[in-house]
Amino acid sequence: MKGVAHISIVLMVMEMIVCVIGMTVEYDHRAVVIDGKRRVLMSGSIHYPRSTPEMWPDLIQKSKDGGLDVIETYVFWNSHEPVQNQFDFEGRNDLVKFVKTVADAGLYVHLRIGPYVCAEWNYGGFPLWLHFIPGIQFRTDNEPFKREMQKFTAKIVSIMKEEKLFASQGGPIILSQIENEYGNIDWAYKSAAKSYINWAAGMAISLDTGVPWVMCQQPNAPDPIINTCNGFYCDQFTPNSVKKPKMWTENWTGWFQTFGGAVPYRPVEDIAFSVARFVQRGGTFQNYYMYHGGTNFGRTSGGPFITTSYDYDAPIDEYGLIRQPKWGHLKDLHKAIKLCEPALIATDPKEMKLGDNLEGHVYKTEAGECSAFLANTGTQSDATVNFNGNSYHLPAWSVSILPDCKNVIFNSAKINSQVVKQKFHRQSDDKIDNSAAEFQSGWSWFVEPVGISKSDAFSKQGLLEQINTTSDVSDYLWYSLSTEVKENEPLLQGDSQPVLHVESLGHALNVFINGKLAGSGKGSSGKVKISLEVPITLVPGKNSIDLMSATVGLQNYGAFYELTGAGITGPVTIKGLKNGASLDLSSSKWTYQIGLKGEELGLYDGSSSQWVSDSTMPKNQPLTWYKTSFDAPAGSDPIALDFTGMGKGEAWVNGQSIGRFWPTNIASQSGCSSYCSYKGSYSATKCLKSCGKPSQQLYHVPRSWVKPSGNLLVLFEELGGNPTQLSFATRQADSLCAHVSETHPPPVESWTSDAKTKANSRPVLQLECPSPNQVISSIKFASFGTPYGTCGTYGHGRCSSVKALTIVKEACVGLKSCQVEVSSKNLGDPCKDVPKSLAVEAICA
């Protein structure tokens, strides 16, 4: 026993020493080097404030299961220091907990401190108080800015060090980032840009984290900072030193969405192609932006006009569910790349030309291990190439991976992964669920006063810019003016109805004349400014003109973006008076109110005594607060609130804001198509869906925010809506599909070093129900031959095996997962000498 005790003590001491010493993280020209070993690292972005702490472990585990090594996140300054010297690291802002959760899963962290983040986040992540520091200018060689940037960066580093979270201390953080995409706009700052970047680099290095620092999109990043690439493709990127590795910090898996815009998406074949090309051409660190996009809760979205949803068409969707086939196809890609890792880290690639738009890259170790990547970069035609004495078929715009320089285990254009069709199941669709009528009654309300209603209102001559006036404590600023009109004044004697003309820097505007809504206007992400003309009716005596200006997230990108204004800066004129005269009100004495009376009363937590419920509830009326209680939908599926019937505003569940809603902002009818080819370079507008529909109708309500019953919902409706039309929906899997041909590579997990086994490997169609308690209950469709269509619309082609349906049913029904070999030997041969495939749609229950 003494011997055992002695061994235990020695092991404990060794563990303590390892914990104190930690890992060494360095880099050379090929890769990040961890504890002396080069690594090929797959990374994915998850932003901690865009999900909940209760979601983090599942999101991170799904990332690990998808083949990631690293989780990348920004650090959001305005979330952590909303008021100067007052810090928040609780709840969704608990950065330490997030980093430790990643560590618990056995993954690394890339901490992008910035502290400018862009990220379609309000004000690019900067706190608004920064704007008001005398003499400050953002992101340049400016002493007030550098002082505050250094203070915050040093605080974050200090917190991470205190918790021993850097790899040099035994923690998971292997990389940190200073600044962010500054190289895109540094030209605007002229000579001050270079001195600022050199200062930022030196400041970061001086913090002594023991791990490398990077700067993305910064070609002149000074040594030892690693400059990295962001974009849809980075295979052509070359770092600014032969001593630095080729790294990709943002591979955009989709694109952000805006109110008034359609929904962008990016085909997974193209993403896989981009990653395979990057690794083929020497890249060894690649990050998906985003791997889980999440939700812009509260007023955190930037832009302006960024939607509350930040789904980004990521491999894990906004609700935390795996998006198939995107997640699965990339998982297969990661496995294939990892099979090549010994050769990838051993040497630089040897490039060979295989034909027009055809090329190969070979990695070979001194011990003879060999891996190859074969690419067809053409967008029109498939090709057959000869390599190492063998013939290989390469679809257009695809890369094949050969871990042994002989056998193809993965092709970026050939998806083995299943498709999971997700749908929103609305309670109103469930006739046996009495909660479908949840929002039909039980409402209380409060009518927000038009114009000035708060004691802190103030008057100023002329029109004030909004952000400088509100400091962004609210979306709303009232501009109010009272004018006296005499019976025989020209204001009442024109030949036509007067028109109020208002010019605004954005983002939305409501005009009230004598307490009534007379007109509204809105900008868009492409045209923020508003020019509004509203016919008005004035009466003898006192008339009130109340202009409600609203922001929809502050600017987050561009040179000098902190100078971008909002609100009504004029002119404000009344046109159409007698003899064509007009009256300019711009320089009049206006009265201003920051925010809403309901905000001052704290109506969002439901506790105010101002709520009314003993009369007829106002519907489709502007400026109305609503409150009700509800029971959460049964089960554990993710929850969404369907805002059909509402106009524009903000919503709170149990006192927590689920974000801005705006279902009346409709995407353009044009720009979408039923099919978007993965072939050819992707752009943010290439693949769009949901044209002519609300940009966002469904809003995520995290499960952890609700109780089984007795929950509180509060709404502020700006334009007018009917809250009784609201309904809950739960996100559920509808069906599983897969479509695999005889020419697909075998499953990556079937890879073996045995040559005979590899030679006999066949493609396999695989299905698995996404929920742990589900099994495959039925096969809706199965066809082997020449099936066509997509999941949910499959059809039999000109030939179809009569055995396929029976074989698939026998292999799959009653099981959580199943596999079917895709071959004529297994499924019959309905049409000889014709390329065949197997398409299946299954139902889980």
Side-chain angles (χ1 to χ4, degrees), residues 30 115 118 140 154 156 247 278 338 388 397 455 484-485 518 535 538 556 573 590 626 651 722 741 762 765 820 832 836:
R30 282 295 295 129
C118 184
T140 188
I156 296 301
M247 297 176 62
F278 180 71
K338 291 296 184 179
N388 274 1
W397 202 255
S455 61
E484 191 81 20
V485 179
L538 300 176
N556 60 258
T573 57
W590 292 81
Y626 297 99
N722 182 359
S741 74
R762 296 287 184 269
L765 183 144
V820 179
K832 293 186 182 297
K836 289 172 282 294

Side-chain angles (χ1 to χ4, degrees), residues 517-567:
L517 182 62
S520 298
K522 66 178 185 293
S524 66
S525 62
K527 187 181 178 183
V528 175
K529 294 182 180 180
I530 303 166
S531 181
L532 181 66
E533 294 202 336
V534 180
I536 61 174
T537 300
L538 300 176
V539 298
K542 186 178 179 181
N543 289 263
S544 62
I545 298 174
D546 297 293
L547 309 179
M548 181 194 217
S549 179
T551 53
V552 190
L554 302 190
Q555 188 78 22
N556 60 258
Y557 182 75
F560 308 107
Y561 77 85
E562 72 273 20
L563 304 180
T564 302

Side-chain angles (χ1 to χ4, degrees), residues 733-736 767-779 812-818 842-845:
D734 186 23
S735 59
L736 306 178
L767 297 173
E768 182 175 4
C769 293
S771 299
N773 59 342
Q774 288 183 320
V775 296
I776 297 169
S777 59
S778 62
I779 303 299
C812 298
V813 172
L815 300 177
K816 177 174 173 54
S817 62
C818 64
I843 304 297
C844 290

Side-chain angles (χ1 to χ4, degrees), residues 356-397:
D356 291 341
N357 299 316
L358 302 170
E359 61 184 64
H361 288 73
V362 177
Y363 294 84
K364 196 168 185 178
T365 70
E366 291 182 357
E369 292 179 278
C370 182
S371 294
F373 294 73
L374 308 180
N376 180 354
T377 61
T379 61
Q380 301 299 318
S381 303
D382 294 0
T384 299
V385 300
N386 291 309
F387 171 74
N388 274 1
N390 294 305
S391 179
Y392 298 91
H393 176 256
L394 284 177
W397 202 255

Side-chain angles (χ1 to χ4, degrees), residues 43-51 56 70-80 89 92-96 98-99 102 109-122 124-126 139 152 156 160 173 175-182 184 213-217 228-231 248-252 255-256 287-293 296 310 312 556-557:
S43 174
S45 291
I46 299 175
H47 295 159
Y48 53 96
R50 282 175 159 147
S51 53
W56 294 343
V70 183
I71 299 298
E72 188 174 283
T73 185
Y74 283 125
V75 177
F76 296 86
W77 188 355
N78 54 7
S79 292
H80 293 303
F89 289 95
R92 297 199 324 276
N93 295 328
D94 194 339
L95 175 59
V96 168
F98 180 77
V99 173
V102 176
V109 172
H110 179 194
L111 194 67
R112 306 177 77 187
I113 299 175
Y116 167 71
V117 299
C118 184
E120 293 72 58
W121 189 262
N122 194 52
F126 286 149
R139 304 178 74 198
F152 181 75
I156 296 301
M160 298 299 107
I173 302 172
L175 293 165
S176 291
Q177 179 177 300
I178 194 71
E179 248 299 335
N180 186 53
E181 297 186 323
Y182 189 67
N184 293 348
W213 287 84
V214 308
M215 284 182 171
C216 65
Q217 295 294 90
T228 67
C229 182
N230 291 355
W248 191 358
T249 35
E250 291 188 17
N251 180 356
W252 302 321
W255 200 243
F256 56 81
N287 176 76
Y288 298 105
Y289 186 101
M290 303 291 297
Y291 200 75
H292 164 73
N296 291 316
Y310 199 67
Y312 223 89
N556 60 258
Y557 182 75

Side-chain angles (χ1 to χ4, degrees), residues 748-829:
V748 181
E749 54 268 23
S750 69
W751 182 263
T752 173
S753 58
D754 180 68
K756 184 176 180 181
T757 304
K758 278 190 286 196
N760 294 324
S761 294
R762 296 287 184 269
V764 172
L765 183 144
Q766 304 175 90
L767 297 173
E768 182 175 4
C769 293
S771 299
N773 59 342
Q774 288 183 320
V775 296
I776 297 169
S777 59
S778 62
I779 303 299
K780 192 173 179 180
F781 179 89
S783 177
F784 178 67
T786 56
Y788 61 88
T790 58
C791 187
T793 63
Y794 287 140
H796 296 282
R798 61 185 181 84
C799 75
S800 181
S801 169
V802 295
K803 299 167 57 177
L805 181 59
T806 300
I807 290 171
V808 172
K809 283 182 176 180
E810 290 177 353
C812 298
V813 172
L815 300 177
K816 177 174 173 54
S817 62
C818 64
Q819 296 186 347
V820 179
E821 181 183 300
V822 181
S823 67
S824 297
K825 180 181 178 181
N826 183 42
L827 298 166
D829 192 346

Side-chain angles (χ1 to χ4, degrees), residues 238-258:
T238 302
N240 65 11
S241 168
V242 294
K243 298 178 181 179
K244 297 177 184 180
K246 183 172 179 172
M247 297 176 62
W248 191 358
T249 35
E250 291 188 17
N251 180 356
W252 302 321
T253 54
W255 200 243
F256 56 81
Q257 189 182 0
T258 61

